[in-house]
Amino acid sequence: MYISINILPHLLKFLYIFFRIVGFFTVAPIFGRRETPLQAKIGFSALLAIIIFPLVETPEFNFNTMEFLYFVVKEVFTGIIMGFTVFMIFSLFFITGQIIDLQMGFGIVNVIDPQSNTQIPLIGNLYYIMATLIFLTINGHHTLISSIIESYKIVPLGAGNLLSQNLLKIITDIFENMILIGIKLSLPIIGMIFIVDFILAIIAKIAPQINVFIVGLPLKIFVGIFALIIGLPSLIIALDVIFNGMYEGIYNVLKGMLSIQ
């Protein structure tokens, strides 16, 4: 009986750590993809919880069923909010791709995303895959794991305030910045396609016998692909800013959970 009483606080601590990690891996890109086996997610979450366990301070828990369920739900949603922040940042590539597709003529060409089981734009999927590969190349996933470890220092177990108004404002600001960055990434390509449309309009006025709709569609696709190739170096530079903003967004969200209001 004495042993079980000593083990109980550590068991509760492990479970709360585990549930926050599971919530994060459920939503976050790369880790939370649907094709990843559930057993692998749970096993990796448990392994990471064991590694993090000695680094997390052990608060005093008075075990009862309602309190246990309350802390489990709070930790799960803390992890989900962190993962959702990362998901929002990665979703800006779909916004960029959707805008570019509409201008290039790929608006009706979509592919199925196995993670969300929805149709996503073709260029957006290309941007997403490139961003994911670069993210893995620079060991961004290691930084995400380290952000989970740091989250227990910023927001101790059971201390997160999920109903904070400041937290909602931070998430809204991240969403707003995501849309603005997505539009900015698409502006160079939109600008080149706009020039093509302007030239085609002049040609249609000078030579009405030329069918600019038949000529314009493949021309805009060619110019759009050419602009994508030219813009790759600037995209890599932009990714550095985006990823740094993502890490900052995670920490801002965690700090927002500590707000009383």
Side-chain angles (χ1 to χ4, degrees):
M1 183 65 179
Y2 176 75
I3 297 178
S4 63
I5 293 177
N6 287 336
I7 289 179
L8 183 59
H10 299 289
L11 178 60
L12 293 176
K13 172 184 172 182
F14 172 79
L15 290 176
Y16 295 148
I17 295 174
F18 171 74
F19 281 116
R20 182 182 295 190
I21 298 173
V22 168
F24 179 81
F25 285 166
T26 301
V27 183
I30 301 174
F31 298 105
R33 296 195 65 87
R34 295 184 61 182
E35 59 267 24
T36 304
L38 180 61
Q39 295 85 346
K41 295 179 184 178
I42 296 177
F44 185 67
S45 299
L47 176 62
L48 188 58
I50 294 173
I51 297 174
I52 297 176
F53 185 86
L55 305 177
V56 180
E57 295 183 0
T58 306
E60 295 183 1
F61 295 111
N62 298 319
F63 178 75
N64 60 70
T65 304
M66 295 303 298
E67 181 178 313
F68 174 74
L69 292 178
Y70 172 74
F71 280 114
V72 166
V73 171
K74 178 177 285 190
E75 291 302 318
V76 169
F77 275 95
T78 299
I80 288 177
I81 292 174
M82 292 177 59
F84 181 70
T85 302
V86 180
F87 178 78
M88 280 197 303
I89 301 298
F90 271 85
S91 296
L92 72 86
F93 300 110
F94 296 139
I95 296 176
T96 303
Q98 185 67 49
I99 297 173
I100 295 174
D101 281 351
L102 289 174
Q103 300 299 319
M104 288 179 59
F106 287 163
I108 61 175
V109 181
N110 291 325
V111 294
I112 296 295
D113 178 28
Q115 181 176 359
S116 59
N117 199 25
T118 57
Q119 293 185 350
I120 57 176
L122 186 64
I123 302 299
N125 190 43
L126 174 63
Y127 273 21
Y128 181 84
I129 293 174
M130 291 176 55
T132 302
L133 292 177
I134 295 175
F135 186 74
L136 294 174
T137 303
I138 64 176
N139 292 327
H141 54 297
H142 294 171
T143 308
L144 287 183
I145 294 176
S146 66
S147 69
I148 299 177
I149 300 175
E150 291 294 325
S151 71
Y152 294 99
K153 299 178 181 178
I154 301 175
V155 181
L157 293 176
N161 182 9
L162 304 180
L163 301 179
S164 169
Q165 295 181 3
N166 191 32
L167 175 61
L168 179 60
K169 183 180 182 301
I170 292 173
I171 295 177
T172 305
D173 291 341
I174 294 174
F175 183 75
E176 180 182 352
N177 292 330
M178 174 196 70
I179 296 177
L180 291 177
I181 294 174
I183 295 175
K184 290 178 181 179
L185 286 177
S186 63
L187 284 179
I189 300 175
I190 293 176
M192 294 189 67
I193 296 177
F194 176 77
I195 294 174
V196 173
D197 288 333
F198 182 75
I199 294 174
L200 290 174
I202 296 176
I203 294 175
K205 191 69 174 178
I206 297 175
Q209 65 274 16
I210 299 179
N211 193 335
V212 293
F213 293 103
I214 297 178
V215 177
L217 183 58
L219 181 60
K220 291 196 319 187
I221 293 176
F222 174 78
V223 172
I225 295 176
F226 180 72
L228 286 174
I229 296 174
I230 294 179
L232 284 180
S234 61
L235 174 63
I236 296 176
I237 297 175
L239 287 177
D240 181 52
V241 178
I242 293 171
F243 292 152
N244 289 331
M246 178 177 63
Y247 305 140
E248 183 180 355
I250 293 175
Y251 289 116
N252 288 337
V253 164
L254 290 172
K255 292 178 182 178
M257 293 181 187
L258 297 178
S259 175
I260 298 177
Q261 295 181 352

